[in-house]
Amino acid sequence: MPTLPKRSRIYQNHHFDSTRWDYFESRDDDIIVATSYKAGTTWTQAIVAHLLFPDGNFPAAPAEMSSWLDMRIMPLEVILNRLKTQTHRRFIKTHLPLDGMFYNEKIKYLYIARDARDVFMSLWNHYKGMKDEFFTLMNMLPGRVGDELPRPPDDIHTFWQNWITRGSFEWETDGWPYWSHLSNVQSWWNFRHLPNIQLFHYNDMLENTEREVRRMAAFLEIDVPENAWVDIIKAVSFAEMKRQGELYAPGGGHFWKGGAQTFLHKGTNGRWRDVLSDKEMSLYEAACDRALTPECREWLGNGGTI
């Protein structure tokens, strides 16, 4: 019998609380959409929504259909009641590492990974685009554990220095003031052999979207009419999702300056090449050495079907 994931850590900070999963009542056909952050979460939620509803006639906006259960902002009872009343196949979002996550052999887990440097560039846009009211909500909402979420620094290089060399939890060595991207990926990579966990890479999704979406459909055992594929792939293109940003962005993009257009920024890779110096890249190499196995590191940097 293969070793199965077990929750061995509690993750609680300004954003999330892993203990909220203690109250989750699963169904055998549930889908979990998991990433660390800024690695294709919203994109994958949109893909799953279109696979489940190939005509695009959603019962609610995908971000509302696919609740982020561990996020502290929405009262837990609201999330649980929403999930309980859903009659369609459910797909729930998480940003938790697998060592802090609910696991059930019967449900499906989609994990999306992305090169840490690309995640960083997207996170910088996300972080500096937040409205003041979002920081107030994160920091003043009762029940926060740990430090406040600080305002972003003025300089991207200061943010990189902190993000790549400091951990927010005592067992992490990168990710401050959020949580470790690298440890998050490694936690899921360790269980990639399990039949109900499938890893996808942002590079591959960009390179051949249809191939990867079809792979998701096969893994999720969703039978999509062949004549629906053209419309699905168009609908989940970055250009089309940005055009309908309010439909896909969490909360319609309300918490970001510039709204959904800020949240759905560029969707591209490689922008770090014009930003990070050789010295800053050495910090990245050291962080990977600390947190990743060689095989996981190779895949995280390049992608490829697992």
Side-chain angles (χ1 to χ4, degrees):
M1 289 292 292
T3 302
L4 299 179
K6 292 182 180 179
R7 285 189 286 175
S8 58
R9 287 176 170 143
I10 293 175
Y11 290 84
Q12 294 172 312
N13 69 2
H14 37 71
H15 267 69
F16 56 30
D17 179 356
S18 63
T19 66
R20 288 164 62 107
W21 283 93
D22 293 343
Y23 305 93
F24 175 64
E25 295 182 3
S26 64
R27 299 174 186 170
D28 288 353
D29 64 349
D30 280 341
I31 300 164
I32 306 296
V33 176
T35 73
S36 71
Y37 42 68
K38 311 313 293 179
T41 328
T42 302
W43 193 6
T44 306
Q45 287 174 292
I47 288 169
V48 174
H50 280 281
L51 290 176
L52 293 175
F53 298 91
D55 61 358
N57 187 22
F58 306 135
E64 182 180 339
M65 293 166 63
S66 179
S67 298
W68 179 4
L69 180 53
D70 24 289
M71 172 53 131
R72 295 194 316 117
I73 284 182
M74 186 69 72
L76 178 59
E77 60 270 22
V78 172
I79 297 293
L80 295 177
N81 286 335
R82 178 185 294 170
L83 290 171
K84 188 174 183 178
T85 58
Q86 287 179 340
T87 56
H88 59 77
R89 189 175 178 186
R90 305 185 304 183
F91 55 116
I92 303 104
K93 165 183 170 179
T94 185
H95 281 323
L96 290 171
L98 189 49
D99 61 12
M101 180 59 193
F102 167 88
Y103 178 75
N104 183 324
E105 291 181 76
K106 294 182 179 180
I107 68 180
K108 303 269 191 176
Y109 296 81
L110 287 174
Y111 186 78
I112 319 301
R114 189 182 188 187
D115 187 299
R117 296 159 294 190
D118 293 311
V119 166
F120 169 76
M121 294 301 298
S122 183
L123 182 61
W124 172 246
N125 175 77
H126 177 94
Y127 191 18
K128 66 186 177 65
M130 288 177 179
K131 292 180 179 178
D132 287 342
E133 61 189 275
F134 188 81
F135 288 95
T136 300
L137 191 57
M138 288 284 98
N139 294 329
M140 302 306 293
L141 191 69
R144 174 177 56 80
V145 174
D147 296 335
E148 293 187 354
L149 176 66
R151 298 297 200 278
D154 294 331
D155 180 56
I156 190 173
H157 300 283
T158 302
F159 183 44
W160 171 259
Q161 172 75 28
N162 285 321
W163 187 76
I164 204 66
T165 65
R166 296 175 60 184
S168 292
F169 297 96
E170 62 183 27
W171 53 87
E172 295 181 346
T173 58
D174 65 276
W176 189 91
Y178 286 83
W179 50 92
S180 172
H181 171 66
L182 299 176
S183 296
N184 193 298
V185 175
Q186 185 70 55
S187 74
W188 289 88
W189 172 268
N190 292 341
F191 291 92
R192 65 195 183 282
H193 57 280
L194 294 177
N196 65 328
I197 294 178
Q198 185 69 60
L199 274 57
F200 292 81
H201 199 290
Y202 196 92
N203 287 11
D204 303 321
M205 293 169 66
L206 282 181
E207 188 265 327
N208 191 326
T209 303
E210 182 170 348
R211 179 193 66 211
E212 295 304 293
V213 174
R214 284 181 178 270
R215 197 159 71 92
M216 288 183 187
F219 170 66
L220 298 174
E221 301 178 273
I222 300 174
D223 187 16
V224 178
E226 194 59 35
N227 62 6
W229 277 106
V230 171
D231 289 339
I232 289 174
I233 299 307
K234 178 182 178 183
V236 300
S237 68
F238 184 80
E240 188 63 19
M241 286 184 61
K242 190 169 178 95
R243 188 181 71 80
Q244 299 191 71
E246 288 74 17
L247 178 65
Y248 296 108
H254 172 74
F255 289 114
W256 287 270
K257 305 164 190 173
Q261 297 304 300
T262 297
F263 182 84
L264 294 163
H265 183 47
K266 289 185 179 292
T268 57
N269 283 341
R271 290 185 287 124
W272 54 268
R273 298 180 191 278
D274 297 323
V275 175
L276 300 178
S277 66
D278 289 345
K279 184 177 180 180
E280 288 171 325
M281 280 298 299
S282 70
L283 298 177
Y284 162 75
E285 299 293 340
C288 290
D289 286 343
R290 290 192 300 267
L292 303 176
T293 61
E295 296 81 9
C296 182
R297 179 175 179 175
E298 172 70 19
W299 178 73
L300 184 59
N302 299 291
T305 301
I306 300 298

